[in-house]
């Protein structure tokens, strides 16, 4: 998760395109007056894609006894589902190990799907007693520990590359090119509201690499949030309240892992960090688009008609975001700092305080929601950059689009695990006229 952000310096003279430094008043090559160049706008939603929404009263309250109000895009920066402040000054540094790694041995599991990295290789006959042949040398057989008996190569794990496609949503997760395992996880699903209309769910979680068992934390959080949404939405719970409950359920699932970790640490006579992860989720239901998050995984809105502006729907719980919100740095300065990706909010037993952020929107035109970890948005940070990376037919081919976006991150360097879900949003018949 969260490799150190190194944004490219794309500031150039509009006359001769020679790179210029921040603060330069004139181009050093052609002498162009740079003070006449307008500053780039910050990456914030530029269009209020929603309007006030009426929703049937929920059948109960959430786990905190609160019924979160619906928020609009203009309310998004710096607020949570209760309209409160972003989390306090607590900071968690997520510093993954450096350098390249060999593939690690597979986790105990059933038969794993074919590894996509072996695509195009000839099919291999099974080894003795149903054993598998090595994906590297295609000659040696794999021992029970997951290593080739011939060349010693560790075999891919099941989680190194995962894909899932439903009719209305799809997701892809990949280990990337530098990490030794995939610490991301996701869940996509669909259910129905009490009136029979569809509700589509996408949950993406990113394990904190500096914590213990980050891969298990992300898997537990994604599973718990998804199950909670599938339980509460059909009962008629307001989608934003259901989202709040889902994040609380995810946090509880991650916290439960800390009890096991604490026992293991005591047995080993040492102390380990509690399992932790970030979460971002989106629900499309009844003409509403609801997002919820904790951490620095993000959701983006990309309209089918690219003449309309895209938008980033979430606000990072990170050191960089806090510096920008406090007016101490601009975005370019904050994200250039080595502390930029230090997260200030996460799911885990050692989190300072759980502050689930939720926001509701009512798009007036069809589009797709891109729900992703920083393994993708590191290579397409701004909303316009993300929109350019999303294929034009994303609404018709969500799995293909998710594959393309993962490929975009891998082509950019693949320094982190990368996970992305693509959720098409169709405006219901008789919906609002375009703004």
């Amino acid at each position: 998760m969260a490799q150190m952000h190194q944004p490219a310096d794309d500031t150039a003279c509009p006359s001769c395109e020679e790179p210029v430094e921040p603060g330069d008043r004139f181009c050093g090559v052609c002498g162009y007056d740079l003070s006449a160049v307008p500053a780039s706008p910050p990456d914030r939603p530029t269009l209020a894609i929603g309007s006030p929404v009426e929703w049937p009263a929920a059948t109960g309250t959430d786990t905190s006894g609160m019924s979160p109000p619906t928020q609009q895009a203009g309310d998004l920066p710096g607020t949570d589902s209760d309209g409160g402040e972003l989390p306090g000054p607590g900071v968690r540094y997520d510093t993954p190990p450096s350098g390249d790694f060999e593939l690690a041995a597979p986790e105990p599991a059933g038969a794993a799907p074919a590894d996509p990295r072996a695509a195009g290789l000839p099919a291999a006959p099974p080894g003795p007693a149903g054993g598998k042949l090595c994906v590297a040398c295609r000659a040696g057989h794999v021992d029970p520990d997951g290593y080739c008996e011939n060349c010693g190569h560790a075999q891919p794990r099941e989680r190194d590359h995962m894909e899932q496609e439903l009719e209305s949503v799809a997701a892809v997760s990949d280990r990337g090119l530098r990490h030794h395992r995939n610490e991301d996880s996701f869940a996509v699903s669909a259910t129905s509201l009490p009136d029979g209309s569809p509700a589509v769910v996408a949950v993406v979680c990113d394990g904190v690499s500096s914590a213990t068992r980050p891969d298990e934390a992300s898997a537990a959080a994604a599973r718990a949030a998804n199950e909670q949404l599938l339980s509460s939405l059909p009962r008629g719970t307001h989608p934003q309240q259901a989202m709040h409950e889902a994040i609380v359920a995810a946090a509880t699932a991650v916290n439960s892992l800390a009890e096991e970790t604490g026992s293991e640490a005591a047995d080993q006579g040492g102390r380990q960090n509690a399992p932790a992860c970030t979460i971002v989720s989106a629900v499309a239901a009844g003409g509403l688009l609801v997002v919820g998050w904790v951490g620095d995984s993000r959701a983006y809105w990309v309209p089918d008609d690219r003449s309309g502006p895209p938008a980033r729907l979430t606000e990072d719980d990170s050191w960089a975001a806090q510096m920008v919100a406090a007016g101490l740095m601009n975005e370019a300065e904050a994200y250039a700092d080595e502390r930029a990706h230090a997260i200030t909010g996460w799911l885990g037993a050692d989190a300072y305080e759980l502050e689930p952020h939720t926001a509701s929107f009512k798009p007036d035109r069809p589009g797709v929601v891109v729900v992703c970890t920083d393994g993708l948005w590191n290579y397409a940070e701004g909303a316009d950059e993300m929109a350019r990376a999303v294929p034009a037919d994303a609404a018709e081919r969500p799995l293909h689009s998710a594959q393309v976006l993962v490929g975009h991150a891998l082509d950019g360097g693949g320094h982190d695990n990368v996970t992305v879900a693509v959720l098409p949003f169709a405006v219901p018949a008789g919906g609002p006229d375009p703004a």
Side-chain angles (χ1 to χ4, degrees), residues 4-10 331-337 340-341 378 381:
M4 194 57 61
H5 181 73
Q6 296 292 342
D9 185 2
D10 57 0
E331 285 200 341
E333 294 170 338
Y335 281 99
D337 193 283
H341 280 235
N378 274 333
E381 186 171 331

Side-chain angles (χ1 to χ4, degrees), residues 339-352:
R339 297 165 290 181
H341 280 235
I343 56 175
T344 58
W346 61 88
L347 305 183
D350 60 353
Y352 287 88

Side-chain angles (χ1 to χ4, degrees), residues 167-204:
E167 184 177 351
S168 52
V169 63
V172 177
S173 181
D174 192 89
R175 178 177 60 87
L177 305 179
R178 299 291 298 275
H179 276 237
H180 69 294
R181 65 180 174 184
N182 189 358
E183 297 171 356
D184 290 355
S185 192
F186 69 81
V188 293
S189 59
T191 185
S192 297
L193 300 178
D195 63 1
S197 61
V200 185
V201 174
V203 183
V204 168

Side-chain angles (χ1 to χ4, degrees), residues 158-365:
E158 181 178 359
R159 282 182 64 171
D160 280 355
H161 186 91
M162 303 178 290
E163 297 186 359
Q164 186 176 355
E165 180 181 30
L166 304 179
E167 184 177 351
S168 52
V169 63
V172 177
S173 181
D174 192 89
R175 178 177 60 87
L177 305 179
R178 299 291 298 275
H179 276 237
H180 69 294
R181 65 180 174 184
N182 189 358
E183 297 171 356
D184 290 355
S185 192
F186 69 81
V188 293
S189 59
T191 185
S192 297
L193 300 178
D195 63 1
S197 61
V200 185
V201 174
V203 183
V204 168
C205 296
D206 188 347
V208 176
S209 294
S210 60
T212 304
R213 299 158 63 191
D215 52 336
E216 296 180 40
S218 64
R223 180 170 56 251
N226 183 61
E227 291 174 353
Q228 180 64 36
L229 287 166
L230 292 180
S231 172
S232 57
L233 288 171
R235 297 199 306 264
T237 305
H238 188 290
Q240 191 167 2
Q241 179 177 324
M243 181 68 76
H244 184 98
E245 294 176 357
I247 295 177
V248 172
T252 301
V254 177
N255 291 351
S256 67
L257 297 177
E259 300 176 4
E260 304 171 19
T261 300
S263 300
E264 295 174 3
D267 293 340
Q268 298 170 4
R271 184 177 183 276
Q272 296 176 309
N273 291 332
C277 69
T278 69
I279 186 171
V280 62
S281 182
V283 170
L288 269 180
L289 170 59
V290 177
V291 295
W293 74 98
V294 173
D296 63 351
S297 293
R298 294 180 177 181
Y300 292 82
W301 165 257
V302 180
D304 289 348
D305 180 1
R306 300 303 169 84
S307 64
R312 195 178 91 198
L313 305 179
T314 57
E315 192 75 13
D316 297 344
D317 289 320
S318 70
W319 181 91
Q322 285 197 343
M323 293 299 102
V324 174
L328 300 177
M329 292 183 176
N330 60 39
E331 285 200 341
E333 294 170 338
Y335 281 99
D337 193 283
E338 62 181 8
R339 297 165 290 181
H341 280 235
I343 56 175
T344 58
W346 61 88
L347 305 183
D350 60 353
Y352 287 88
E353 183 178 359
L354 178 63
E355 290 285 353
H357 311 296
T358 63
S360 297
F361 307 91
K362 192 167 186 180
D364 56 14
R365 65 200 70 195

Side-chain angles (χ1 to χ4, degrees), residues 18 31 47 49 52 57 64 67-68 92 104 135 138 142 147 150 169 172 215 219 222 336 338 350 352:
E18 178 71 14
L47 174 67
I49 64 171
S64 63
S67 180
R92 179 163 193 157
V135 299
R138 308 300 292 176
V142 180
Y147 291 86
N150 178 53
V169 63
V172 177
D215 52 336
E338 62 181 8
D350 60 353
Y352 287 88

